[in-house]
């Protein structure tokens, strides 16, 4: 059998994609490098002002904007008590906590009833946001001694649960947190500061989410930050640094932030109600919400902003097994595709300013298409080598260059973290970080690219999204690996 | 055979990236080594000098003079460290201990440096200096802070206004009230918090500010009037319940929770029936008022208001009530 047709096809393919692929590879990494430089400049300005930021004054001020913390909970009996306690104990002058028990099959509701002696709250329900899950009952701490409301409802998903909480929220600002997240004591102060500084213009802020695996937790607080033990989790630490901390800081600086993590986002309540809360049908509900807000801002020609706060605020467990990580990445990429497709009218549309002209093209090109390009390269270059279409020496050079340049970009992110927040203080942690920077290139990147493509395909073919079961052991008081992942 | 890109170009990228990786690694190691070395030096100085600072904190009467003499006799590096330590402690300490710490910082030579920094060209240094002036409160600090409250940089103005909150003086109050204006560049939360720090001393100015032409000033004053229990403010707050600006109306309603007035019941019911955030604020205020004043108002809300307002008024769900 002759392979000439394939050889010819590959020759044509490489001839056509020669320059576009090279330019794509350079642009993707250079764009990330530019974002890192912008973030580094932002951190430098931010940290120079640490002496006079005035958070202490705000912490004690009775005129600070009130905050409703909404915590959806599904089968969280292992952590719910600690999570609620730690949120109630946050340093902030005026905040309430609304836990929405999303039809848990375990004892989440009973744990809360026992811990706080909850009593039924039969006050009217505003009904400003349409919700799907039937509410079984609303409970609150007796005599208003603790600013805690617990809603017990049938299972209807995280977004719908947040909407239920939003409907009952009574403060000016609303923050959504995951029950398995651990918040820094000053997290509400940090994330609400842009609202206090510019209450007329700031409508949403996102806080940094970091990885808690293997860090020491006591009484719902991180007391010793450590790198995770498993390589898979270590790589995610580096990934979070590069993409979430630095990437989002830069987008915020550029005035084009379109993604706030669902694990820690703060919003003006009136705006959230105006736009209709979270979309319960969206897989990337946090991304979708911020896109909807940006659209609402631009179409209404409103002088409003979405900001990102670089100060570490929230710590969450990351997947520590390949199976759970795969599920997470498939879901993330599917969510990315569905939101980008849903808001395609904003792409390259000058009406939407930097969001339409800069951020969205970046996300389409370098986030959505990245796994496709990567997998195409992984398949076609070896095939070209096999068929003698590609020069072996050149192919090796190309692969080395792409990984070395990618490593440089990630290392730059680590350098910026080291010169700014430097949360991992041990030399062994630095070693683990550097190992993760290198290890990311060998298997992890390729695997995540495959999972992301699978997620995209699932979205294109409209397959039913299946949420994984949660297995959680809670945060060990003496550190060690907390198991389980935020996958539902 | 195809070579997608010129090999020379790839070699340039490879060599440049490799060089930058080596540079980054060196920077990483250098940063960490220097930071750890600095931390060790600070720890050593802390161990040596903290007892002296603590001695100063608890010193009584003339004892402080002896401590200050010993501070002045220290080497420059040690004086700088002790000045810094005293300054940091001032954020959490008040009373006589704070007075002593201010004297320690002064003896360590911090005050002249801070005063000089207020004239720096760099706005961040001026802002830091304004913060320090507020904490150290040396002679002439009030006048200097009032000047900084008119600084060209909004960042400096903000810190200066916040610092002015700690000076019990009518001139300070005037500067803070001026900072409530929409064009001041000072966040309203900062100015109102500074006013609250002034306590009763700010009462008269706040009452006057409730009638200011600038809605931002009215809103700021309305936010603090209730907490300060400013004498004679209730009547003006009632008038503000019908202010043209919604945020002023809400601020006035929230203040009326603390300085309740029977005259407010009518305007509050009207606001409650408007619904939305405004209606909820009105209902919450009515709920905080004596029941004898609001019985009819609550009954009207029960029949006519939207569910969110009913909830804020503490009213039960219709089906639950049935």
């Amino acid at each position: 059998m002759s392979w000439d047709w394939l050889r010819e096809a590959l020759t044509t393919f490489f001839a056509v994609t020669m320059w576009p692929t090279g330019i794509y590879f350079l642009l993707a990494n250079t764009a990330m490098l530019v974002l890192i430089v912008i973030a580094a400049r932002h951190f430098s300005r931010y940290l120079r002002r640490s002496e006079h930021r005035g958070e202490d004054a705000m912490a004690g001020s009775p005129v600070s904007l009130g905050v409703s913390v909404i915590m959806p909970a599904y089968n969280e009996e292992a952590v719910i008590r600690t999570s609620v306690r730690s949120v109630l104990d946050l340093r902030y002058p005026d905040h309430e906590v609304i836990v929405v028990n999303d039809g848990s099959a375990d004892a989440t509701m009973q744990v809360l009833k026992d811990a706080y002696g909850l009593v039924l709250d039969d006050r009217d329900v505003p009904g400003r946001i349409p919700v799907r899950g039937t509410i079984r009952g609303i409970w609150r701490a007796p005599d208003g001694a603790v600013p805690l409301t617990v809603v017990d409802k049938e299972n209807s998903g995280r977004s719908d649960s947040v909407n239920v909480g939003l409907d009952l929220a009574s403060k000016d600002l609303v923050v959504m947190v995951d029950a398995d997240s651990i918040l820094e004591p000053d997290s509400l102060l940090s994330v609400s500061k842009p609202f206090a500084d510019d209450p007329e213009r700031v409508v949403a802020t996102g806080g940094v989410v970091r990885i808690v695996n293997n860090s020491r937790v006591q009484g719902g607080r991180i007391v010793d930050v450590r790198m995770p033990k498993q390589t898979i989790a270590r790589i995610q630490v580096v990934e979070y640094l590069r993409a979430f901390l630095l990437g989002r800081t830069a987008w915020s600086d550029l005035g084009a932030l379109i993604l706030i993590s669902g694990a820690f986002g703060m919003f003006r309540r009136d705006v959230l109600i105006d736009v209709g809360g979270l979309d319960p049908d969206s897989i990337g509900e946090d991304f979708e919400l911020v896109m909807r807000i940006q659209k609402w801002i631009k179409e209404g020609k409103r002088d409003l902003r979405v900001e990102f706060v670089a100060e570490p605020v929230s710590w969450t467990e990351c997947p520590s097994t390949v199976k759970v990580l795969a599920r997470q990445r498939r879901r993330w990429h599917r969510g990315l595709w569905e939101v980008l497709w849903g808001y395609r009218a904003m792409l390259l549309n000058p009406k939407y300013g930097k969001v339409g002209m800069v951020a969205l093209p970046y996300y389409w090109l370098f986030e959505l298409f990245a796994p496709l390009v990567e997998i195409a390269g992984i398949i076609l270059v070896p095939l070209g080598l096999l068929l003698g279409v590609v020069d072996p020496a050149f192919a090796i050079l190309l692969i080395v260059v792409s990984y070395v340049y990618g490593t440089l970009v990630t290392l730059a992110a680590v350098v910026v973290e080291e010169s700014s927040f430097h949360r991992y203080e041990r030399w062994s942690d630095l070693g683990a970080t550097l190992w993760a920077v290198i290890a990311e290139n060998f298997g992890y990147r390729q695997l995540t690219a495959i999972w992301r493509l699978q997620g995209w395909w699932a979205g294109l073919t409209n397959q039913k999204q299946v949420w994984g079961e949660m297995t959680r052991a809670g945060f060990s008081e003496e550190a060690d690996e907390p198991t389980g992942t935020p996958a539902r | 055979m195809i070579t997608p890109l010129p090999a020379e170009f790839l070699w340039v990228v490879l060599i440049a990236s490799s060089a930058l990786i080596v540079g980054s690694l060196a920077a990483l190691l250098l940063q960490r080594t220097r930071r750890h070395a600095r931390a060790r030096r600070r720890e050593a100085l802390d161990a040596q000098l903290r007892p002296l600072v603590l001695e100063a904190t608890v010193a009584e009467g003339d004892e402080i003079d002896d401590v200050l003499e010993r501070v002045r006799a220290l080497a420059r590096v040690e004086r700088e460290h002790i000045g810094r330590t005293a300054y940091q402690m001032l954020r959490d300490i008040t009373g006589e201990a704070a007075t002593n710490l201010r004297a320690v910082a002064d003896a360590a030579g911090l005050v002249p440096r801070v005063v000089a920094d207020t004239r720096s060209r760099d706005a961040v240094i001026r802002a830091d200096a304004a913060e320090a002036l507020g904490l150290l409160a040396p002679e002439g600090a009030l006048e200097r802070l009032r000047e900084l409250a008119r600084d060209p940089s909004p960042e400096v103005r903000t810190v200066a206004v916040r610092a002015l909150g700690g000076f019990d003086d009518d001139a300070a109050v005037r500067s803070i009230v001026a900072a409530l204006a929409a064009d001041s560049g000072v966040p309203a939360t900062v100015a109102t918090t500074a006013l609250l720090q002034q306590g009763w001393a700010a009462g008269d100015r706040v009452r006057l500010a409730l009638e200011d032409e600038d809605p931002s000033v009215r809103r700021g004053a309305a936010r603090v009037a209730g907490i300060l229990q400013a004498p004679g403010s209730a009547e003006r707050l009632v008038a503000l319940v019908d202010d043209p600006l919604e945020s002023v109306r809400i601020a006035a309603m929230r203040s009326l929770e603390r300085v309740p007035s029977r005259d407010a019941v009518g305007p509050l019911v009207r606001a409650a029936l408007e619904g939305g955030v405004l209606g909820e604020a009105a209902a919450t205020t009515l709920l905080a008022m004596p029941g004898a004043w609001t019985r009819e108002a609550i009954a009207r809300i029960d029949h006519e208001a939207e569910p969110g307002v009913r909830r804020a008024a503490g009213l039960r769900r219709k089906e639950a009530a049935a």
Side-chain angles (χ1 to χ4, degrees):
Chain A
M1 184 180 160
S2 167
W3 290 99
D4 288 350
W5 66 271
L6 185 57
R7 194 173 292 116
E8 205 165 305
L10 273 179
T11 306
T12 312
F13 176 80
F14 281 122
V16 172
T17 58
M18 175 172 70
W19 280 101
T21 311
I23 289 168
Y24 177 89
F25 145 74
L26 274 178
L27 272 181
N29 282 301
T30 308
M32 194 67 229
L33 206 53
V34 169
L35 290 176
I36 290 170
V37 170
I38 293 170
R41 199 187 58 167
H42 177 93
F43 290 164
S44 157
R45 286 201 309 257
Y46 178 81
L47 292 169
R48 266 196 87 198
R49 285 157 174 81
S50 57
E51 284 288 321
H52 63 255
R53 216 174 287 136
E55 278 176 2
D56 282 338
M58 197 174 146
S61 174
V63 291
S64 293
L65 293 167
V67 175
S68 299
V69 182
I70 300 172
M71 184 188 282
Y74 176 73
N75 289 354
E76 304 281 3
E77 64 176 8
V79 295
I80 194 68
R81 192 182 173 138
T82 310
S83 298
V84 171
R85 186 71 262 162
S86 72
V87 174
L88 284 168
D89 287 346
L90 292 177
R91 206 160 73 102
Y92 198 80
D94 179 19
H95 72 290
E96 64 173 358
V97 179
I98 302 169
V99 179
V100 184
N101 177 40
D102 185 22
S104 296
D106 67 359
T108 301
M109 193 64 211
Q110 196 55 47
V111 168
L112 287 170
K113 279 182 185 171
D114 293 346
Y116 294 96
L118 301 176
V119 294
L120 261 177
D121 175 2
D122 58 5
R123 283 179 299 163
D124 213 337
V125 178
R128 288 165 293 211
I129 300 274
V131 292
R132 293 175 178 177
T134 307
I135 295 176
R136 295 169 181 152
I138 302 172
W139 303 73
R140 62 185 160 91
D143 309 324
V146 178
L148 173 67
T149 301
V150 179
V151 184
D152 188 19
K153 61 179 260 297
E154 288 173 359
N155 182 269
S156 57
R158 181 183 179 276
S159 300
D160 195 51
S161 301
V162 169
N163 286 343
V164 169
L166 172 63
D167 194 33
L168 294 171
S170 66
K171 307 290 182 185
D172 294 319
L173 303 174
V174 168
V175 63
M176 305 162 189
V177 300
D178 286 345
D180 59 313
S181 294
I182 293 178
L183 303 181
E184 297 257 327
D186 283 349
S187 54
L188 291 182
L189 289 172
S190 305
V191 179
S192 64
K193 182 127 196 330
F195 292 96
D197 288 347
D198 197 355
E200 304 297 325
R201 292 180 63 218
V202 176
V203 291
T205 57
V208 173
V209 178
R210 289 192 180 231
I211 288 172
V212 71
N213 300 42
N214 196 41
S215 289
R216 229 175 116 226
V217 178
Q218 266 180 0
R221 294 274 178 268
I222 309 273
V223 292
D224 186 13
V225 178
R226 295 175 189 168
M227 278 293 276
K229 284 177 182 165
Q230 297 116 322
T231 302
I232 194 173
R234 286 176 177 177
I235 294 172
Q236 288 173 81
V237 169
V238 172
E239 237 185 344
Y240 271 51
L241 273 185
R242 185 184 57 213
F244 296 174
L245 174 61
L246 296 158
R248 288 180 192 172
T249 300
W251 285 119
S252 171
D253 224 36
L254 292 169
L257 184 65
I258 56 173
L259 178 51
I260 286 176
S261 171
F264 200 97
M266 186 178 269
F267 300 83
R268 238 170 63 184
R269 181 172 65 112
D270 57 339
V271 170
L272 218 46
I273 289 172
D274 270 3
V275 300
L278 287 172
D279 176 2
D281 292 324
S282 177
I283 290 166
E285 74 280 2
D286 38 7
F287 185 21
E288 196 280 333
L289 175 64
V290 181
M291 280 302 296
R292 194 149 26 103
I293 289 175
Q294 288 285 17
K295 190 167 183 264
W296 175 81
I297 290 172
K298 304 293 179 194
E299 289 184 348
K301 293 190 169 59
R302 298 171 170 97
D303 182 21
L304 301 173
R305 286 185 298 146
V306 177
E307 280 200 10
F308 187 71
V309 179
E311 194 77 37
V313 290
S314 174
W315 297 78
T316 191
E317 289 177 49
C318 75
S320 50
T321 64
V322 172
K323 189 180 164 193
V324 180
L325 180 68
R327 203 159 55 205
Q328 182 198 58
R329 295 308 158 100
R330 283 187 204 112
R331 194 176 71 240
W332 283 5
H333 211 73
R334 181 176 177 171
L336 178 75
W337 155 248
E338 289 184 355
V339 175
L340 288 179
W341 182 247
Y343 289 87
R344 61 192 178 280
M346 290 171 75
L347 180 69
L348 295 173
N349 188 338
K351 187 171 128 186
Y352 298 101
K354 289 175 194 163
V355 169
M357 300 302 287
V358 185
L360 282 176
Y362 176 92
Y363 273 80
W364 271 92
L365 268 179
F366 303 130
E367 293 288 346
L368 185 68
F369 284 109
L372 188 65
V373 175
E374 180 131 16
I375 296 301
I378 289 171
I379 295 169
L380 295 176
V381 171
L383 199 60
L385 279 170
L386 204 67
L387 296 173
V389 175
V390 177
D391 173 9
F394 187 85
I396 291 169
L397 178 63
L398 187 67
I399 291 165
V400 169
V401 168
S402 74
Y403 286 141
V404 167
Y405 195 31
T407 302
L408 169 67
V409 172
T410 309
L411 193 60
V414 175
V415 171
V416 174
E417 155 71 5
E418 180 70 19
S419 61
S420 51
F421 300 108
H422 44 82
R423 298 300 294 243
Y424 299 96
E425 272 298 339
R426 291 183 184 80
W427 283 102
S428 56
D429 287 339
L430 181 63
T433 307
L434 294 176
W435 160 242
V437 170
I438 296 162
E440 185 187 12
N441 293 316
F442 301 101
Y444 182 89
R445 257 176 68 170
Q446 295 77 9
L447 272 175
T448 49
I450 293 168
W451 298 328
R452 288 161 77 189
L453 272 187
Q454 288 173 339
W456 191 359
W457 180 250
L460 283 167
T461 52
N462 214 13
Q463 290 169 24
K464 189 176 185 305
Q465 173 66 31
V466 179
W467 298 92
E469 272 302 309
M470 290 219 285
T471 47
R472 216 182 293 291
F475 299 112
S476 162
E477 291 295 298
E478 278 310 314
D480 298 324
E481 201 86 19
T483 57
T485 84
R488 163 153 74 93
Chain B
M1 192 154 298
I2 292 208
T3 52
L5 286 168
E8 297 77 15
F9 174 71
L10 292 181
W11 276 109
V12 169
V13 176
L14 182 61
I15 292 166
S17 301
S18 305
L20 285 169
I21 284 176
V22 172
S24 300
L25 282 172
L28 206 56
L29 296 177
L30 194 68
Q31 277 181 56
R32 181 161 288 215
T33 310
R34 283 180 59 184
R35 199 173 61 249
H36 284 191
R38 267 202 309 272
R40 276 197 301 275
R41 274 202 303 277
R42 267 202 305 271
E43 269 172 36
L45 282 167
D46 256 352
Q48 178 197 335
L49 298 170
R50 194 162 277 271
L52 191 57
V53 182
L54 293 176
E55 203 180 319
T57 313
V58 296
E60 289 179 0
D62 295 342
E63 290 171 4
I64 188 68
D65 295 333
D66 171 52
V67 176
L68 296 180
E69 272 310 308
R70 282 151 60 196
V71 170
R72 288 188 194 101
L74 292 170
R76 191 177 62 86
V77 177
E78 293 166 335
R79 278 204 312 275
E80 279 177 6
H81 184 81
I82 211 166
R84 179 99 197 137
T85 307
Y87 176 64
Q88 295 294 348
M89 288 171 72
L90 272 172
R91 293 179 192 274
D92 304 313
I93 289 176
T94 54
E96 196 179 340
T99 309
N100 289 352
L101 284 174
R102 287 190 186 102
V104 169
D106 192 13
L110 196 60
V111 172
R113 216 167 48 241
V114 165
V115 173
D117 281 352
T118 61
R119 293 183 174 83
S120 167
R121 283 182 173 186
D122 186 333
V124 176
I125 295 177
R126 291 202 301 282
D128 276 348
E131 177 88 3
L133 273 187
L135 282 173
L136 298 170
E139 204 176 323
L142 174 61
E143 291 70 30
R144 192 74 201 104
L145 280 171
R146 290 192 67 209
E147 283 172 37
L148 290 171
R150 297 188 296 273
D151 192 275
S153 157
E155 183 177 0
V156 178
R157 294 201 295 274
T158 299
V159 181
V161 167
R162 193 169 60 227
L164 280 168
F167 289 80
D168 191 3
D169 190 287
D170 188 55
V173 177
R174 284 202 307 275
S175 294
I176 299 168
V177 171
L180 288 173
D183 58 359
S184 74
V186 177
T189 317
V190 171
T192 46
T193 303
L195 270 182
L196 288 176
Q197 262 187 286
Q198 292 285 339
W200 274 67
D204 286 344
R205 300 263 167 213
V206 166
R207 199 180 61 243
L208 291 173
L210 289 170
E211 292 178 337
D212 199 279
E213 283 181 7
D214 183 339
S216 298
V217 176
R218 289 201 301 277
R219 180 177 52 208
R223 283 170 81 180
V224 299
I227 302 169
L228 288 176
Q229 307 264 309
S233 62
E235 189 184 316
R236 288 177 167 87
L237 285 170
V238 173
L240 290 183
V241 172
D242 290 320
D243 194 273
L245 204 71
E246 185 176 286
S247 58
V248 178
R249 299 177 71 187
I250 291 175
M253 289 173 194
R254 288 179 180 165
S255 258
L256 280 165
E257 281 182 44
R258 293 169 189 259
V259 279
S261 160
R262 196 164 196 158
D263 295 340
V265 174
L268 285 171
V269 174
R270 282 199 300 277
L273 297 179
E274 286 179 40
V277 178
L278 191 81
E280 287 171 27
T284 306
T285 306
L286 283 168
L287 189 65
M289 286 183 168
W293 298 358
T294 58
R295 197 159 294 122
E296 283 176 29
I298 298 287
R300 203 171 154 201
I301 288 172
D302 195 13
H303 286 104
E304 298 176 36
E306 61 183 43
V309 175
R310 289 170 41 78
R311 179 176 177 80
L315 292 164
R316 299 169 73 191
R317 280 192 297 275
K318 296 255 160 99
E319 63 270 31

